[in-house]
Amino acid sequence: MRLFPFGQKRRPLRWAVAVIRVYRGSLRKLLRDNSFILVVAAACVGAASGAIASLMILISETAHQYLFGLNAGERLSSALDLSPTQVIFIVTLGGVLVGATYLHQSRLRHVIVDPIEANALYGGRMSFRDSAFVALQSLLSSGFGLSLGIEGGFTQAAGAVGSKVGQFLNRRRHDVRMLVGAGCAGGIAGAFAAPFAGAAYGFELIVGSYTVATLSPVVAAAVAGHLASRLLVGHSYHIPLNPNGFGSDGYAILALFLGVACGLLSVGLMRCVTGVERIFRQSKMRDVFRPWAGGLLVGLMAIFVPHLLGSGHDAMALILNNEWPVKLLAVVLAGKIVASALSLGSGFRGGLFSTSLFLGAVTGAIAGNLGVMGGVVAPNDVAIISLVGMASFGAAVVGAPMAMALLAIEVTGDLTVVEPVLLGVLAATLTVRQVFGYSFATWRFHLRGEAILGGEDVGWARQTTARDLMRRDLNTVPITMSLADFCARFPVGSTKYVAVADQKAAYVGLLDVAALHVDQLNDDAGSTLEDLKSSLEHSNDWVMASTRFDMLVHLFEQRETERLIIVDNETSRHALGYITEAFALRRYRQELEARQREIFGN
């Protein structure tokens, strides 16, 4: 005999669906407003992001093993016996494959948005398809040995995961932005086994601010990303060091000078990238062929300096734990800067996160060796000076000083490096801000005409338009209307202003109702509004309905008026409404207060 007769098997499912329908509103409110749900969602996003980062790194390293014929346990940036022909062929083939992806990108009618731009301008909304495309390009670029890191790819994918989860849960704008930051935090934490650095990266670069309200979700995401990566990969990124009492006053001064040097070199790197892009743009070479040319040049350079290939993680470990001649270090430094600029400037995808760490380690090693020659530095402390350079260069390029300082501490497991690392990071950050004004991420936005200095939410002012703010109680009359009809329709006290439109219904100005009633006493009965055309006010004080809110505030001062008429477009100029300066400023204050409440969790 059946325990569940036919026709009754699906009753529990039907009951569950019925319960969900009854409590659907309460469930949506719970998912939207509950703080605990937000922390759980952030942890899930972080775990997924850590897994994505680990898998992409694992795929890239596996590709290196097979494509370049590396031995077991050997990494590309530390390999010395590579075949020159094989290197040129593989790196150029990577350029061909990445160039082929631009055939798809040429069909896109929009710019691909990265996590920083999404949080700054679009409330954290990202395209998952676009992000997967960027991740694929980064994977191809890194897997075929280009002189870039893969961080740009997995942070893009991680940010998109956070964005989609936030939108699925119907969270508010601030929560979606924070989940994007949580995704990036989980990715960095998983890739480097550094949850503190991952959380700081999410706060500094993606979310743009740190508050108690955002602490729990972002930290939960970073820890979850680290745990997911460790469970998946089973090992941690670690650099063993022997500090030998590093941290005296003399070394502190050296750390400051090293930070300044790293800041100046990072500016040179960023200039080189944009310079290479300009050269390729002026050459009129199609986007499809630029990675091919860039890959060929990088491959030719790698024949002489093989440490240029890859992100440089293992080469950095070699530098930190071995003595390299200064001349060789200088060649590697210059070559890596040029190779990275060629890789990014020719169209390969990736990031300068790992590259900046490698360049900083090389710069620090040069400074340490010069200090040993001058009798200022003990030979055993060269590795720690390299570590200071690593954090300083990374902070200058990436624009996340605390994340880089924490990363240096976590990958070494040694708290004695805190003082010199912080001093170097501080000096590098101030140098870049004073000399250049941008990190690499914000510099790229500046080149596209976007005035973004980080992940701070400035998009609400751009997404709010004059149409959203205008008052719609604006009466419009044709200019052919007689004065008698106008006075009959609009008696004194009915309204202050009335818009006048010409024969094509285009806005021509405002009439003061009270003043017109006074003037009408002395006018002929057959007069029309056209006879008072010279008396119209605010004839040129109009803006289009699509005008952004941040531009409206400046227009009041620029035109020296307290009222702007909103028209549909520049051609037809149909009056839709109006906005006053007092109302615009009041709305601005209200939005600022709303952002403050979101930030502090009130």
Side-chain angles (χ1 to χ4, degrees):
M1 182 178 180
R2 294 182 179 179
L3 295 177
F4 296 98
F6 182 80
Q8 298 183 5
K9 287 184 179 181
R10 297 186 179 180
R11 281 185 179 178
L13 179 60
R14 292 177 181 176
W15 291 341
V17 172
V19 170
I20 291 175
R21 286 177 178 176
V22 171
Y23 295 100
R24 181 168 51 188
S26 300
L27 181 62
R28 285 176 61 87
K29 188 176 187 305
L30 177 68
L31 295 177
R32 179 178 175 83
D33 298 335
N34 190 276
S35 299
F36 179 75
I37 295 294
L38 182 63
V39 175
V40 173
C44 293
V45 168
S49 301
I52 290 172
S54 299
L55 284 174
M56 290 183 66
I57 293 172
L58 184 61
I59 293 172
S60 176
E61 292 181 348
T62 304
H64 293 166
Q65 293 283 336
Y66 285 101
L67 292 174
F68 292 93
L70 303 180
N71 299 322
E74 189 178 19
R75 297 293 181 265
L76 181 60
S77 61
S78 59
L80 297 175
D81 55 347
L82 299 175
S83 169
T85 305
Q86 186 179 17
V87 168
I88 294 176
F89 173 75
I90 292 173
V91 177
T92 306
L93 178 61
V96 173
L97 295 177
V98 172
T101 63
Y102 280 97
L103 293 174
H104 166 73
Q105 188 168 346
S106 63
R107 302 190 189 101
L108 300 179
R109 299 183 180 273
H110 59 273
V111 177
I112 297 178
V113 177
D114 81 342
I116 300 175
E117 189 176 7
N119 268 7
L121 298 180
Y122 305 110
R125 294 182 175 273
M126 299 176 63
S127 167
F128 195 82
R129 180 179 297 178
D130 288 352
S131 299
F133 175 71
V134 171
L136 174 62
Q137 285 186 316
S138 300
L139 199 55
L140 287 173
S141 301
S142 176
F144 281 82
L146 273 299
S147 189
L148 295 170
I150 201 172
E151 296 80 16
F154 67 67
T155 53
Q156 179 80 24
V161 170
S163 175
K164 291 304 178 183
V165 169
Q167 294 175 56
F168 175 77
L169 296 177
N170 196 32
R171 301 296 301 199
R172 292 180 173 83
R173 178 188 181 96
H174 178 68
D175 294 338
V176 175
R177 293 178 65 253
M178 190 193 55
L179 286 173
V180 172
C184 296
I188 294 295
F192 291 93
F196 281 111
Y201 180 90
F203 286 127
E204 288 184 286
L205 204 61
I206 310 301
V207 179
S209 62
Y210 161 78
T211 62
V212 175
T214 59
L215 176 64
S216 298
V218 175
V219 170
V223 173
H226 175 219
L227 293 176
S229 176
R230 192 167 64 183
L231 290 173
L232 188 64
V233 179
H235 63 81
S236 297
Y237 183 71
H238 181 69
I239 300 175
L241 288 178
N242 182 18
N244 288 323
F246 185 80
S248 64
D249 294 338
Y251 288 120
I253 296 174
L254 178 60
L256 289 173
F257 279 107
L258 179 56
V260 173
C262 289
L264 294 175
L265 285 172
S266 69
V267 173
L269 171 63
M270 290 184 273
R271 290 289 190 186
C272 281
V273 173
T274 54
V276 171
E277 287 180 339
R278 189 183 307 111
I279 291 172
F280 275 107
R281 196 164 48 245
Q282 292 174 351
S283 69
K284 306 298 183 181
M285 185 182 294
R286 292 183 58 190
D287 293 346
V288 176
F289 301 114
R290 291 177 187 178
W292 177 86
L296 177 61
L297 293 174
V298 172
L300 291 172
M301 293 179 61
I303 295 175
F304 304 98
V305 188
H307 300 297
L308 304 181
L309 296 175
S311 61
H313 283 309
D314 288 272
M316 181 167 55
L318 287 177
I319 292 171
L320 291 174
N321 293 287
N322 296 278
E323 296 182 6
W324 287 32
V326 174
K327 291 183 179 180
L328 177 59
L329 290 171
V331 170
V332 172
L333 176 64
K336 185 68 174 179
I337 290 176
V338 175
S340 300
L342 282 172
S343 299
L344 271 181
S346 61
F348 287 97
R349 289 280 190 176
L352 292 180
F353 193 106
S354 295
T355 300
S356 63
L357 299 180
F358 175 74
L359 290 170
V362 176
T363 305
I366 293 174
N369 282 320
L370 292 177
V372 171
M373 294 178 186
V376 180
V377 177
N380 292 332
D381 286 336
V382 173
I384 302 181
I385 298 174
S386 299
L387 183 72
V388 174
M390 180 190 81
S392 302
F393 211 116
V397 172
V398 178
M402 285 306 301
M404 290 302 171
L406 289 170
L407 179 64
I409 296 169
E410 287 186 279
V411 298
T412 59
D414 199 327
L415 292 177
T416 59
V417 303
V418 171
E419 179 185 340
V421 163
L422 287 177
L423 288 175
V425 165
L426 174 65
T429 304
L430 291 177
T431 300
V432 172
R433 183 174 297 179
Q434 184 68 30
V435 174
F436 196 59
Y438 303 91
S439 65
F440 181 73
T442 56
W443 170 240
R444 308 283 283 180
F445 298 138
H446 173 73
L447 293 176
R448 282 170 27 199
E450 294 287 357
I452 304 173
L453 296 178
E456 295 86 355
D457 190 6
V458 298
W460 64 269
R462 299 190 180 191
Q463 293 178 352
T464 305
T465 63
R467 187 188 297 273
D468 302 322
L469 299 175
M470 69 181 184
R471 294 188 59 174
R472 302 177 185 271
D473 56 341
L474 178 66
N475 296 298
T476 305
V477 297
I479 200 169
T480 55
M481 177 180 282
S482 67
L483 294 181
D485 291 342
F486 183 89
C487 292
R489 181 177 174 183
F490 301 103
V492 176
S494 60
T495 185
K496 181 173 178 57
Y497 286 108
V498 173
V500 179
D502 61 13
Q503 289 82 354
K504 295 182 179 180
Y507 169 78
V508 293
L510 293 181
L511 275 177
D512 188 322
V513 174
L516 182 64
H517 274 272
V518 174
D519 295 339
Q520 196 267 343
L521 297 176
N522 302 321
D523 287 335
D524 297 332
S527 299
T528 64
L529 298 181
E530 192 167 6
D531 299 327
L532 300 177
K533 194 171 183 179
S534 59
S535 302
L536 294 178
E537 302 177 16
H538 302 285
S539 298
N540 297 319
D541 297 333
W542 56 267
V543 295
M544 291 187 292
S546 58
T547 304
R548 297 185 331 218
F549 175 68
D550 56 339
M551 298 178 63
L552 277 176
V553 178
H554 300 292
L555 285 174
F556 285 109
E557 182 178 354
Q558 179 182 342
R559 300 188 182 182
E560 298 180 353
T561 182
E562 297 180 354
R563 183 184 300 262
L564 289 173
I565 306 303
I566 312 302
V567 300
D568 55 353
N569 56 64
E570 192 172 1
T571 304
S572 58
R573 293 209 322 272
H574 296 159
L576 303 177
Y578 69 95
I579 185 171
T580 63
E581 183 179 18
F583 178 75
L585 293 176
R586 185 166 65 252
R587 286 286 292 116
Y588 183 72
R589 288 194 297 269
Q590 289 173 352
E591 289 292 340
L592 286 180
E593 291 173 359
R595 298 296 166 264
Q596 289 294 107
R597 288 194 298 270
E598 287 178 350
I599 290 175
F600 291 104
N602 296 329

